[in-house]
Amino acid sequence: MKNIQASCIAALTLCLAGVALADDLQTVGDPDITGFSAQRLARMTSWFEAQTKKGDPSGFVVAIARGGKLAYLQPTGFEDHDKKIPMRPDSIFRIGSMSKQITSVATMMLVDEGKLELDALVAQYLPELRDMQVVKTDPATGDAVLLELEPAKRAMTIRDLLRNTSGLVYAGPDYADPGFGNAAIHALYGAKAPFRRDKPIAPFVASLGMLPLLHQPGEVWEYSLGFDVLGRVIEVVSGQPFDQFLQSRLFAPLRMVDTGFYVPEDKLARLVAVPGAQPAPLSDGDVAKPQTFFSGGGGIVSTAPDFLRFCQMLLNGGELDGARILKPETVRLMMTNSLPPDIHIAGHEAGPAFGTGWGLGFAIRTSPDFSLIPGSVGSFNWQGSWGTFFSVDPVQKLILVMMMQRSQYSENGFYFNAIRRLPYAALKVPEISVPAAPTQLVTRALAEYVGRYDFGGSASSLDRQVSVADGIGWIGLDSVIAENDGLRVVKPAEAGPAARAGIISGDLITAIGDKPIKGLTLEAAFHRISGPLNATIKLKITRQAQNDPIVVAFAREAVPSHSVELQIRVADGKLVVEATGRWSILDFDKGQTTPLAVLSRDEFCVESGDHTRIAFIRDAAGKVNGAVLNPGPWEQRGALAQ
């Protein structure tokens, strides 16, 4: 009898291996069990705490799961900075475009059930979108000709809506890609098909049928209203309002208890305030009362624990806690790049230059070397304009969720870079026992290791970020805002080309080359700034308290990769190491020196912390020219900077 019981228990254990259970995602586990360094998780907490002192964002909630277990759930800062209400783990956030992934899953649920066909024409379900016209393009320039239309070569399909190849676009000139198309088309969408959260989806979708497509379906990837159209498709196919379908078929089975299109009165105390201007009435940010327009592209609110459960379901192949949402093969299809290699990318979120493709509703990492997506090839993610972010790494079984709330998305990339790097940097490297050498090297011998070592763009070898797109020039104006008269410099990149040319915070760029940029959108201005490596750019600038304009010219440079640098010196007869790049790495912190112990000639280790090892490498002449952190499967290689 005992043997039978033991066999049953063993079989059950095998069935549940790798599958998250309810308790696993509710209680933070021991870092050692989930494979993290407690010290480096604490470093990550300190980083986010430091950012909240700026007041925008007022706070964060960061959640991490690995191997189906909750590894980290940390609120920092305030839900409401002005009222000094502390952030809490279940604070409620507007998740913006992370609504798209929820809509994509809902769509594929109906595909799994045979009620919806991926390659069916959208007009089969929504006749109001039949026989749509397409803006004609000038064959010489590729620019759209606003008042000239032509028939679509083929009708848009459900697959097109999921992969942003429908030809639909977003409203408003800020979404226009200046390299392909015409901002007037985006403005037309805003005028003729405005978002109104007091109107149902059906008339909104019907109004799209009266507008032209900007692109021929299937020919161009452009971020679009397609996910809002999918919300209406789901209503027609399921016979339920979109919000009811999500609640009954997705949120309730996954126990996403705080996710929906508005925040009920008894939960309003947990809704995170937006620093600065509050959301406009009837906008996607106006979530304090019930809605009638259910935006599948950007209207949902959620919490870090809820969205973690959604991600864990996907990582598990479509199931969580016994609730089967999607077939495993459906999840695999959704997380496979669906874009042809020669498709035109109208935007800056996908494509070979960013190491990123697009599946069915999700961005997918396609390059092992450089990507906007953290983790292994095949990892998937997305973000929301309010400052939310998630990523899932199937190889490491790792889920990252970051929630913050900002009204301006121009600097969100700074925080997205942090959630890309800091959790991977906190993973523990497998330990290898190496006895310390009984003798010390003399100071003269230590001197040959002194120098600055560049380890590239990643704080972890499991998330390589070692190169960027060839031939693209960088001018070091990473933080600017568009004003009516030009681009206002918020802060030039430290020691970047623009800063070295004399550009300072507060400068207003009024012309690029000989062309004024008054009235241009941020995207259009960046298109003019872009140029090949080493090409000269000329900027005309006005500066406060200075009457005459300033003209500066300088060369575009290669994008710097040295986000992670170590400076090695000799102090008190030992090698000491300090992180001097943008990010700390392993046992090495910014602004703090860490001594090394000798293991052997060319090999050293940190005596405390996580015992990081450094092996120096030499060229053919025997001169030190690089270093390897933790030699082995998780090693990171850095070059000695000249």
Side-chain angles (χ1 to χ4, degrees):
M1 185 66 177
K2 289 183 179 179
N3 289 337
I4 295 175
Q5 288 177 334
S7 298
C8 290
I9 292 171
L12 180 61
T13 302
L14 287 174
C15 290
L16 295 179
V19 176
L21 299 175
D23 290 345
D24 292 331
L25 293 178
Q26 289 180 352
T27 304
V28 177
D30 185 334
D32 285 335
I33 294 175
T34 52
F36 285 93
S37 159
Q39 176 183 334
R40 283 183 260 135
L41 286 176
R43 174 196 291 164
M44 181 169 66
T45 302
S46 298
W47 189 92
F48 281 106
E49 286 175 342
Q51 306 313 307
T52 64
K53 295 179 180 179
K54 296 183 295 185
D56 177 19
S58 62
F60 302 85
V61 179
V62 176
I64 302 173
R66 191 172 190 224
K69 297 182 182 297
L70 184 61
Y72 183 89
L73 178 59
Q74 184 65 54
T76 57
F78 299 97
E79 274 184 1
D80 189 316
H81 185 271
D82 293 338
K83 297 179 181 178
K84 298 297 185 245
I85 300 173
M87 193 71 79
R88 51 194 120 184
D90 61 349
S91 293
I92 299 173
F93 295 81
R94 304 157 185 84
I95 64 170
S97 285
M98 279 164 48
S99 306
K100 290 176 170 63
Q101 287 68 54
I102 290 172
T103 300
S104 300
V105 166
T107 302
M108 297 306 291
M109 290 169 67
L110 294 174
V111 172
D112 272 358
E113 294 169 6
K115 297 177 181 178
L116 187 60
E117 295 182 16
L118 264 180
D119 293 311
L121 304 185
V122 175
Q124 176 179 327
Y125 308 100
L126 304 177
E128 59 269 38
L129 299 185
R130 192 183 307 277
D131 300 325
M132 294 188 73
Q133 297 287 293
V134 183
V135 175
K136 192 174 182 179
T137 58
D138 183 334
T141 65
D143 290 336
V145 183
L146 177 57
L147 297 180
E148 294 189 34
L149 304 178
E150 60 185 0
K153 297 175 185 177
R154 69 164 176 82
M156 71 173 79
T157 65
I158 298 300
R159 191 187 300 268
D160 284 323
L161 295 177
L162 284 163
R163 66 178 193 165
N164 285 320
T165 57
S166 64
L168 292 165
V169 296
Y170 257 119
D174 286 345
Y175 287 100
D177 177 58
F180 195 93
N182 191 317
I185 302 298
H186 296 259
L188 183 66
Y189 270 66
K192 300 297 184 181
F195 277 108
R196 288 277 305 218
R197 295 201 68 163
D198 59 341
K199 304 292 184 183
I201 306 178
F204 171 78
V205 171
S207 68
L208 295 177
M210 307 301 292
L211 295 171
L213 301 175
L214 181 53
H215 314 294
Q216 288 287 348
E219 293 187 0
V220 176
W221 184 95
E222 179 164 350
Y223 206 51
S224 80
L225 292 163
F227 296 90
D228 293 291
V229 175
L230 283 170
R232 177 59 182 154
V233 170
I234 290 169
E235 289 191 334
V236 170
V237 173
S238 70
Q240 288 182 281
F242 186 35
D243 66 326
Q244 292 182 19
F245 179 89
L246 290 180
Q247 178 57 38
S248 62
R249 299 292 309 279
L250 188 61
F251 300 154
L254 290 181
R255 298 206 297 281
M256 296 171 66
V257 296
D258 293 315
T259 304
F261 285 99
Y262 84 103
V263 182
E265 187 174 355
D266 61 343
K267 298 181 179 182
L268 276 176
R270 290 191 280 130
L271 177 63
V272 178
V274 180
Q278 290 303 303
L282 306 179
S283 71
D284 279 350
D286 182 17
V287 295
K289 53 184 178 295
Q291 311 292 330
T292 56
F293 181 83
F294 307 118
S295 172
I300 294 176
V301 298
S302 190
T303 64
D306 272 12
F307 211 86
L308 196 67
R309 294 185 63 79
F310 175 75
C311 293
Q312 188 68 58
M313 176 272 295
L314 294 169
L315 184 55
N316 289 351
E319 183 271 340
L320 182 65
D321 292 348
R324 170 62 62 185
I325 304 298
L326 293 171
K327 298 176 182 177
E329 56 267 31
T330 300
V331 176
R332 286 195 294 272
L333 176 64
M334 297 176 74
M335 307 314 166
T336 300
N337 181 33
S338 67
L339 299 182
D342 58 347
I343 195 168
H344 180 85
I345 305 294
H348 303 282
E349 298 92 358
F354 300 98
T356 301
W358 191 267
L360 299 181
F362 295 77
I364 314 294
R365 180 166 188 166
T366 56
S367 168
D369 294 325
F370 176 78
S371 179
L372 296 179
I373 297 171
S376 316
V377 169
S379 296
F380 52 93
N381 81 354
W382 202 235
Q383 66 275 338
S385 60
W386 296 98
T388 55
F389 176 95
F390 80 94
S391 177
V392 180
D393 184 337
V395 174
Q396 292 299 320
K397 295 181 172 55
L398 180 65
I399 301 170
L400 314 175
V401 176
M402 181 188 75
M403 298 286 195
M404 67 176 180
Q405 214 77 116
R406 302 183 70 244
S407 59
Q408 299 292 328
Y409 58 84
S410 60
E411 295 183 10
N412 285 353
F414 172 72
Y415 304 102
F416 296 159
N417 275 335
I419 194 63
R420 284 176 58 169
R421 288 171 169 81
L422 294 173
Y424 279 90
L427 287 169
K428 289 193 71 171
V429 177
E431 292 185 13
I432 298 176
S433 178
V434 181
T439 59
Q440 298 292 319
L441 294 177
V442 298
T443 302
R444 186 178 61 229
L446 293 176
E448 61 182 332
Y449 306 114
V450 170
R452 179 172 58 86
Y453 294 80
D454 181 355
F455 288 86
S458 176
S460 168
S461 60
L462 294 180
D463 176 26
R464 295 183 64 199
Q465 298 289 340
V466 298
S467 65
V468 295
D470 292 336
I472 296 177
W474 175 68
I475 69 170
L477 286 179
D478 301 329
S479 182
V480 297
I481 56 176
E483 296 184 359
N484 184 55
D485 292 330
L487 288 180
R488 181 73 64 184
V489 177
V490 177
K491 184 180 180 182
E494 185 177 353
R500 296 201 309 273
I503 296 175
I504 62 174
S505 298
D507 282 350
L508 181 69
I509 301 171
T510 58
I512 299 172
D514 296 322
K515 295 181 179 180
I517 59 173
K518 182 175 180 177
L520 284 188
T521 65
L522 189 61
E523 291 286 340
F526 268 125
H527 181 67
R528 289 202 190 166
I529 284 174
S530 298
L533 184 65
N534 298 323
T536 298
I537 183 172
K538 184 171 71 173
L539 303 176
K540 181 182 284 187
I541 296 163
T542 61
R543 183 171 294 170
Q544 191 174 6
Q546 190 162 327
N547 295 327
D548 296 329
I550 303 168
V551 176
V552 296
F554 53 92
R556 298 177 176 92
E557 299 179 1
V559 179
S561 63
H562 47 267
S563 293
V564 178
E565 288 183 339
L566 294 180
Q567 180 68 48
I568 298 181
R569 303 190 298 272
V570 177
D572 298 326
K574 288 188 174 184
L575 284 186
V576 296
V577 184
E578 178 185 352
T580 54
R582 180 172 294 180
W583 305 102
S584 299
I585 182 170
L586 300 172
D587 282 315
F588 309 120
D589 289 294
K590 290 173 63 65
Q592 178 179 326
T593 57
T594 301
L596 299 179
V598 179
L599 295 176
S600 63
R601 185 171 187 263
D602 291 343
E603 290 186 85
F604 300 79
C605 78
V606 178
E607 293 180 312
S608 57
D610 293 310
H611 309 289
T612 297
R613 292 171 294 122
I614 298 182
F616 292 94
I617 51 181
R618 298 174 181 269
D619 60 18
K623 185 178 180 181
V624 173
N625 67 352
V628 181
L629 300 178
N630 292 318
W634 284 25
E635 69 182 26
Q636 293 160 272
R637 290 180 171 262
L640 179 63
Q642 300 301 319

